[in-house]
Amino acid sequence: MCGIVGYIGKRQAYPVLIKGLKRLEYRGYDSAGVALITDTKGLEVYKTKGKVADLEEYVKDKDVSGTIGIAHTRWATHGEPSSTNAHPHISCSGNLALIHNGIIENYTVLKEALQRHGVVFKSSTDTEVLVQLIDYIQQHVGTDLLTAVRLALRQVIGAYAIAILDRNEPNQIIAARKSSPLVIGVGEEEFFLGSDASPIIEYTDKVVYLDDNDIAVLRRGAKEAEFINFDNEKIEHDVKTVDLNLGQIEKGGYPHFMLKEIFEQPQALQDCMRGRVNVEANNVVLSAVIDYRKELLNARRFIIVACGTSWHASLIGKQLLENICQIPAEVEYASEFRYSNPVIDSRDVVIAISQSGETADTLAAIQLAKERGAFIFGICNAIGSSIPRATQTGCYIHVGPEIGVASTKAFTGQVTVLTMLALALGKARGTIKNEDYVRLVQELDAIPEKMKKVLEQNDRIRDISRVFTYAHNFLYLGRGYNYPVALEGALKLKEISYIHAEGYPAAEMKHGPIALIDAEMPVVIVATQNPLYDKLMSNIQEIKARGGRVIAIVTEGDEKVKALADEYVELPKTVECLEPLISTIPLQLLAYHIAVQKGKNVDQPRNLAKSVTVE
Ligand code: F6R
C-alpha cells in the first residue's frame, strides 16, 4: 500500500528519491517523507502530510545533500495521515530512521513492552515500534545495526518491507521483507531500492527480488548486495534483468495514466495474445496447459479467487470455463474465502487472479487452498510479484505496468487470459466443437481492432458524460457475460468520481432497484444483440416508462435501441462471450470523463491505493 524508495551510491540521493516517490505515488499518497545522511548535519528527516509535491515544497529550503537516503509515500492504516505519522520514523536515540510498507500485527504487545522500558513513542503508527525495537536492541545489547535488525524481526509478526538508515553507520542501508514487495536495483557501485522496479529502471535494469524473511545489506562501493536470513545464514540471489522501459511508466502525453491505459488496451491485448493465439494455425497455446495438462484437464472444479476488478473478471471466467470446458466453476472473494472453511481437495484447481500479484487477501486464499491440497493456477500482471511465486503455474497477462489506481487494461487482459485458458482446455477435453473453436480464435484475434473502433467514440462519450455529472446515483445493468461488465462499470464510477453506483443483472431490476428509477438516476445498460436481446429491450422500455434516462451500449447499427435510449455508444459485432472485452471500454471512458468533469483526481482517488497489501 505504501511506496518505498532507497538509494546509496555516488549520486545525490534526494533527486533519485523524489523521482522514485513520484513513480510509486500510485501506492499511497496521504503523506510522504525522506531521510538523508547529509554531508554536514548527519541524519536529516523531512516529512509532511499530503502528496510528494507537498514534500518537495516543504523541503525546498532544506539541506538535501548526501548520497544515501530512504523515502516513503504513505497510505494510512494505523494512525491518521499527519506529518507525525508519516515515515520515516526516527528512533528515541535519534540514530535510526526507518520506512515501512505493511502491517505489524503484534505492535501493541511490542509497544507496551518498550514503553515499560521507558521508550517514548511519538506517532500512533504500528511502524514506529520497529524502529524503537531495533534501536532498543542496539543500545541495550550493544550490537551493530544488522544484528539488531535481525534480532528485532524475529519478534515481529506481520507483513513488512522496510529500509533503515543509521547515522553511525552512514555507508549502508539495511532492508528486509516479509509478505510485502521489495526490489533492489544493482548499478555500478550503487544500489536502489523500490517497492517495485519503476523507481529503478531509469538507472539500471539489473534487479534482485527479495524473498520473504530476507535481509539485504547495501554497502557503499560494493559490487553486490549481501543477503542473510533471520538465522544469519547467507542467501544467494540471482540478479535478474527487468524488461520495463520508461515509456511504459510515464503518461506519454495523456493527461492521466487511466486514460493512457484505457487507450493502450488494443496493444495490451495483442501483447497478451502474442505467441499464444495463432490465427493462421487456428490455435491457442498456453505453456501452462502443456506443462500441467493432467492437473488442469482432470480438474473436478475450478474455484476462482480474486478481489475488486479481478473478481469481476473472474465472474466472466466462470462462464467461459463452464460453457467451453464443461467444468464447474465457482467464484469467491479472496477476502471471504480465506476465512471460510472451504471443502476443497487435490481434485480442485484454484485460479487466483490479481493485477498486482501482491493483494494480501488473494495471497492468503492461495495459502489456504494450498494447505488443503488444491492445485493453484495464477493469473497476474506484475512480473516477479508474490502471487506468481506462490502458485504452481499460471499465465502472466502481459499488459504492461498499470499505474492508474482504477484498473482498466488489467481487466481486459485477465478476461483474455481466461478466454485463452478456456479455449485451450476446451479443445483438449473435446468439449467445444471445432467450428466454434475456430470462430472464437478468429474473433479473439480481431478484438484489438474492434477495441480501436470503440475508442474512436471517446469524444462522443465525453459529451455524454457532460450531461450526467449532476447525478448522485447510477444504475448499471447487463446480462450473462455483460453482467460482470455492469459491476465493473459501476465500480469504476464509484472509485474515481465518488458517485454511488450499483451494478445489477438486468432481469433483477424488477425485483427491487426499479423502485429507484426516476429522471435523477441514469441507467447504463449493455443491450447488445445477444440471445437475451429481446429481454434487454423490455428492460429499457420499463426504465423509459418510469421516466428513467438510458445510456445504452448497443451493437453497431441497432436502430431500435438507439431510438429508445437517451444516449448510446455502438460496439462492433462479436461473439457473445467476447463482448466484455469491448463493452467494458465505454464504461471505463464514461467513468473517466465524469470524474474529470467533476474535477476529481482520477489517478489518485481518495482513500484508495493500487495494491492492497494489507487486510
Ligand atoms: C479497481 C481496483 C481494485 C483491484 C483490487 C484487486 O479498479 O483496482 O478493485 O482490482 O484491489 O487488486 P489486484 O488485481 O491487484 O489483486
Side-chain angles (χ1 to χ4, degrees):
M1 303 298 272
C2 306
I4 282 185
V5 202
Y7 176 76
I8 180 167
K10 291 186 183 135
R11 303 169 202 254
Q12 187 189 355
Y14 179 72
V16 176
L17 298 173
I18 283 292
K19 217 178 216 184
L21 285 187
K22 286 183 182 161
R23 298 213 192 284
L24 288 178
E25 212 167 7
Y26 72 88
R27 301 180 68 88
Y29 32 82
D30 58 45
S31 49
V34 59
L36 300 161
I37 297 185
T38 61
D39 299 337
T40 49
K41 295 195 195 123
L43 185 63
E44 288 287 333
V45 173
Y46 310 119
K47 49 188 193 171
T48 183
K49 185 177 166 186
K51 298 191 193 290
V52 178
D54 298 305
L55 175 68
E56 266 185 303
E57 185 58 31
Y58 174 71
V59 165
K60 225 164 53 195
D61 307 320
K62 311 265 190 309
D63 177 1
V64 289
S65 60
T67 52
I68 173 171
I70 55 178
H72 187 269
T73 176
R74 180 169 187 246
W75 184 87
T77 56
H78 295 65
E80 55 167 17
S82 69
S83 55
T84 312
N85 288 337
H87 303 211
H89 289 281
I90 311 168
S91 64
C92 261
S93 68
N95 290 339
L96 308 183
L98 178 144
I99 53 176
H100 167 224
N101 169 30
I103 286 189
I104 306 305
E105 284 166 22
N106 61 339
Y107 85 98
T108 319
V109 180
L110 294 172
K111 186 172 178 175
E112 283 167 7
L114 287 163
Q115 281 170 327
R116 281 197 295 276
H117 287 88
V119 176
V120 179
F121 281 75
K122 296 180 208 81
S123 76
S124 40
T125 65
D126 55 333
T127 300
E128 194 185 346
V129 79
L130 287 174
V131 75
Q132 303 295 15
L133 180 62
I134 296 166
D135 188 85
Y136 185 86
I137 294 173
Q138 248 194 336
Q139 306 293 321
H140 290 80
V141 185
T143 67
D144 60 7
L145 178 64
L146 179 57
T147 311
V149 169
R150 195 167 56 74
L151 296 178
L153 292 182
R154 290 170 75 139
Q155 299 180 47
V156 168
I157 300 170
Y160 49 81
I162 55 170
I164 311 148
L165 287 187
D166 182 344
R167 76 158 83 224
N168 297 320
E169 299 184 40
N171 292 315
Q172 67 173 16
I173 299 176
I174 306 248
R177 135 170 199 156
K178 184 169 187 192
S179 304
S180 290
L182 200 53
V183 188
I184 289 170
V186 184
E188 290 284 324
E189 299 191 1
E190 60 181 351
F191 296 104
F192 304 83
L193 260 181
S195 294
D196 66 32
S198 62
I200 296 172
I201 54 158
E202 191 170 339
Y203 312 100
T204 176
D205 62 355
K206 301 283 175 276
V207 298
V208 174
Y209 294 100
L210 262 66
D211 284 331
D212 279 352
N213 303 329
D214 281 355
I215 301 176
V217 188
L218 312 179
R219 288 188 212 281
R220 188 185 295 285
K223 292 215 164 1
E224 289 172 6
E226 294 159 38
F227 304 96
I228 57 164
N229 62 19
F230 295 172
D231 296 323
N232 203 18
E233 292 158 345
K234 222 170 154 30
I235 311 270
E236 295 297 334
H237 272 296
D238 290 339
V239 176
K240 301 216 161 73
T241 303
V242 69
D243 182 20
L244 191 66
N245 61 55
L246 272 185
Q248 288 176 295
I249 55 168
E250 285 177 348
K251 285 191 201 143
Y254 286 91
H256 297 99
F257 280 111
M258 183 179 177
L259 190 63
K260 176 183 178 229
E261 287 157 8
I262 292 172
F263 271 84
E264 274 174 353
Q265 288 177 104
Q267 183 59 50
L269 257 59
Q270 270 168 2
D271 294 342
C272 176
M273 290 190 277
R274 183 164 303 118
R276 293 164 165 175
V277 174
N278 182 340
V279 76
E280 278 81 36
N282 275 317
N283 208 4
V284 172
V285 180
L286 290 179
S287 52
V289 175
I290 297 170
D291 297 345
Y292 292 90
R293 191 179 161 86
K294 188 170 93 328
E295 289 82 351
L296 294 168
L297 288 188
N298 295 339
R300 171 183 68 162
R301 179 176 57 150
F302 289 112
I303 301 165
I304 316 179
V305 293
C307 303
T309 288
S310 301
W311 186 81
H312 297 154
S314 308
L315 294 176
I316 297 169
K318 168 189 159 72
Q319 298 183 54
L320 287 162
L321 289 164
E322 290 193 333
N323 290 338
I324 298 176
C325 314
Q326 301 289 300
I327 299 175
E330 292 166 18
V331 179
E332 302 272 357
Y333 284 115
S335 51
E336 289 296 315
F337 182 84
R338 64 183 289 188
Y339 291 114
S340 64
N341 186 11
V343 184
I344 46 173
D345 61 33
S346 58
R347 293 164 299 170
D348 294 314
V349 171
V350 168
I351 302 178
I353 306 184
S354 171
Q355 186 287 128
S356 63
E358 300 292 348
T359 300
D361 286 325
T362 311
L363 269 163
I366 290 171
Q367 192 51 39
L368 175 64
K370 254 191 194 168
E371 282 160 17
R372 304 214 167 177
F375 182 81
I376 322 282
F377 187 99
I379 297 178
C380 287
N381 191 33
I383 314 280
S385 55
S386 300
I387 290 177
R389 289 193 279 163
T391 49
Q392 272 121 319
T393 187
C395 288
Y396 280 115
I397 61 173
H398 288 309
V399 298
E402 191 181 67
I403 293 167
V405 166
S407 188
T408 52
K409 63 178 179 174
F411 175 77
T412 44
Q414 290 162 347
V415 174
T416 303
V417 164
L418 286 161
T419 309
M420 292 190 290
L421 179 64
L423 284 171
L425 293 178
K427 186 174 186 203
R429 283 171 55 85
T431 48
I432 178 167
K433 284 196 222 138
N434 193 46
E435 67 208 69
D436 293 341
Y437 178 84
V438 170
R439 170 135 195 260
L440 276 176
V441 173
Q442 299 286 334
E443 278 295 324
L444 188 58
D445 183 66
I447 287 291
E449 281 309 310
K450 295 186 179 181
M451 284 179 145
K452 286 184 193 163
K453 292 214 155 156
V454 184
L455 290 167
E456 281 165 14
Q457 297 172 74
N458 181 40
D459 288 350
R460 175 185 181 80
I461 298 169
R462 190 190 51 222
D463 292 346
I464 296 174
S465 75
R466 289 201 175 113
V467 181
F468 291 97
T469 43
Y470 69 85
H472 295 294
N473 298 287
F474 264 75
L475 190 60
Y476 284 73
L477 302 176
R479 292 201 74 168
Y481 284 98
N482 280 314
Y483 160 51
V485 171
L487 294 177
E488 177 59 8
L491 179 64
K492 290 289 89 89
L493 189 72
K494 281 186 268 208
E495 282 181 301
I496 58 172
S497 71
Y498 319 140
I499 295 174
H500 171 247
E502 295 275 351
Y504 257 90
E508 278 294 300
M509 185 180 66
K510 59 185 173 296
H511 297 292
I514 199 164
L516 297 169
I517 287 172
D518 61 17
E520 300 288 299
M521 185 158 91
V523 182
V524 180
I525 179 161
V526 186
T528 47
Q529 286 171 341
N530 60 43
L532 295 172
Y533 174 74
D534 289 340
K535 309 207 182 287
L536 286 158
M537 284 289 287
S538 306
N539 292 140
I540 296 177
Q541 302 274 14
E542 286 156 14
I543 298 163
K544 293 304 298 174
R546 286 156 183 85
R549 310 202 52 194
V550 172
I551 304 167
I553 312 301
V554 308
T555 306
E556 219 163 44
D558 184 341
E559 301 306 326
K560 242 159 85 184
V561 187
K562 277 158 69 174
L564 263 182
D566 297 275
E567 305 288 349
Y568 64 86
V569 180
E570 290 182 283
L571 300 183
K573 217 173 169 29
T574 185
V575 284
E576 189 194 2
C577 68
L578 301 183
E579 267 184 7
L581 293 170
I582 50 175
S583 57
T584 306
I585 293 178
L587 307 195
Q588 295 169 342
L589 285 170
L590 186 68
Y592 171 80
H593 287 300
I594 290 179
V596 171
Q597 306 286 332
K598 290 177 78 79
K600 304 298 179 203
N601 187 340
V602 170
D603 281 336
Q604 294 173 350
R606 70 182 181 205
N607 305 338
L608 293 176
K610 184 73 184 157
S611 49
V612 186
T613 55
V614 294
E615 260 198 87

